[in-house]
């Protein structure tokens, strides 16, 4: 039975990951990627457009299925060798979060709806993931 994950990254970084067919989470930490299994689903939420800047995005920006290959390290520079996991991303449309806040069960406090995203990556109930996927124009059932 697959699990459903939300990862958090700037839209700019998500698009680089989509192009490369990889997921990288929590500044390259291996732990969350090792929890993911082949066949799990992942959707990225982007609070901002560009890492380190403040221009808001507040959209789900990419969605894909975790591939069979185990997490691995990739040298982006001599000082930064993050962990990655291969993902097959689907063609989707971006989806604003605001209309979904009241419907998403993993958001307990609707006034402080951004709080769950501070974890960087977390699993969500299937019903929440399907609601997001549907809004992005894909069927994951």
């Amino acid at each position: 039975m697959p699990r459903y994950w939300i990862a958090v990254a700037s839209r700019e970084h998500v698009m680089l990951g989509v192009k490369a067919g990889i997921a990288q989470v929590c500044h390259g930490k291996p732990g969350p990627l090792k929890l993911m299994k082949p066949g799990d689903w992942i959707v990225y939420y982007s609070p901002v457009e560009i890492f380190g800047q403040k221009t808001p995005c507040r959209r789900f920006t990419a969605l894909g299925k975790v591939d069979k290959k185990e997490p691995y390290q990739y040298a982006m520079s001599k000082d930064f060798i993050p962990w990655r996991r291969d993902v097959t991303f689907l063609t989707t449309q971006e989806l604003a979060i605001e209309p979904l806040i009241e419907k998403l069960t993993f958001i307990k406090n609707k006034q402080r709806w951004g709080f769950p995203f501070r974890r960087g990556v977390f699993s969500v109930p299937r019903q929440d993931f399907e609601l997001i996927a549907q809004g992005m124009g894909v069927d994951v059932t």
Side-chain angles (χ1 to χ4, degrees), residues 47-130:
V48 295
E49 290 287 338
I50 298 170
F51 179 73
Q53 295 187 10
K54 296 185 179 192
T55 303
C57 179
R58 295 190 190 121
R59 294 188 305 268
F60 292 99
T61 50
L63 183 148
K65 197 170 205 179
V66 176
D67 291 342
K68 291 181 181 174
K69 186 175 181 181
E70 291 296 315
Y72 57 93
Q73 286 186 285
Y74 179 84
M76 294 185 74
S77 72
K78 71 177 186 124
D79 297 327
F80 186 49
I81 307 171
W83 287 82
R84 294 178 164 189
R85 183 144 203 162
D86 290 348
V87 172
T88 300
F89 286 98
L90 305 179
T91 301
T92 61
Q93 59 192 21
E94 295 184 7
L95 176 65
I97 191 169
E98 285 86 355
L100 298 180
I101 293 169
E102 292 298 321
K103 298 174 187 170
L104 293 169
T105 65
F106 72 86
I107 298 176
K108 303 299 182 203
N109 182 335
K110 306 304 182 183
Q111 282 70 47
R112 295 179 176 247
W113 61 266
F115 187 75
F117 298 99
R118 291 182 176 199
R119 291 179 274 174
V121 64
F122 54 98
S123 64
V124 296
R126 178 180 176 161
Q127 68 202 45
D128 286 344
F129 195 89
E130 288 178 352

